[in-house]
Amino acid sequence: NAGVTQTPKFQVLKTGQSMTLQCAQDMNHNSMYWYRQDPGMGLRLIYYSASEGTTDKGEVPNGYNVSRLNKREFSLRLESAAPSQTSVYFCASSEPTYEQYFGPGTRLTVT
Amino acid sequence: GENVEQHPSTLSVQEGDSAVIKCTYSDSASNYFPWYKQELGKGPQLIIDIRSNVGEKKDQRIAVTLNKTAKHFSLHITETQPEDSAVYFCAASRAARQLTFGSGTQLTVLP
């Protein structure tokens, strides 16, 4: 039982490049989330998916897109990376109203 | 939207002493208040949570108190140990879906 897995663990991009962060969970959870974590600012919600086939914007969605591929997988795409998107990205999953389980994170640097 | 403020940002205690971290929230409709522990290089992990119909909850050395009238909640760790050293985050939400996090507290337990 791996819980929530994220790939890649580290990534360096140049401004304007695109990439997709992958997330998968094996706990059969309906809800999945993408957060970014910046120093001194805690975690901020980018997008979430309450169930397969639905996605909604969180607090900081600009510059990102998401895809809920199936119940297990929820990807985050940066179409044209900017230095302001340098951050640590966390994926999480949960059943509604219950504990959110977090993955190990992806450290992204945009130069 | 919800706003969560967390204090202090850093806290050092001697091993065996108690540690207290405080958070305030702005949305009176928030009814779920989890606390997460994040170790270096890892994702946050839930350590305790409380819902608005309860004033206090304990789990061994950890306790959380909630004052709905004043809109603040606190984490209490007794008999601190070196392995308690980590970053702690509070959060608030309606029904555990869109969590709004505080900015975090770096707890250091000195041997």
Side-chain angles (χ1 to χ4, degrees), chain A residues 46-110:
Chain A
I46 305 170
Y47 271 94
Y48 69 101
S49 171
S51 61
E52 187 178 354
T54 68
T55 60
D56 286 288
K57 295 178 181 179
E59 180 185 354
V60 289
N62 291 345
Y64 306 95
N65 286 300
V66 291
S67 296
R68 183 74 183 267
L69 305 170
N70 48 55
K71 191 172 185 179
R72 290 187 64 249
E73 298 172 290
F74 188 37
S75 63
L76 178 72
R77 183 161 178 83
L78 287 70
E79 291 290 352
S80 179
S84 60
Q85 295 178 305
T86 293
S87 189
V88 181
Y89 291 86
F90 288 99
C91 177
S93 72
S94 75
E95 284 301 312
T97 75
Y98 287 94
E99 171 183 357
Q100 291 190 18
Y101 292 83
F102 285 80
T106 294
R107 295 182 179 277
L108 175 66
T109 301
V110 183

Side-chain angles (χ1 to χ4, degrees), chain B residues 64-92:
Chain B
V64 57
T65 58
L66 171 64
N67 183 326
K68 285 179 58 180
T69 303
K71 288 191 280 189
H72 67 69
F73 56 112
S74 300
L75 177 71
H76 303 253
I77 306 174
T78 59
E79 301 173 17
T80 53
Q81 301 167 3
E83 52 265 38
D84 294 330
S85 295
V87 179
Y88 291 81
F89 291 97
C90 63

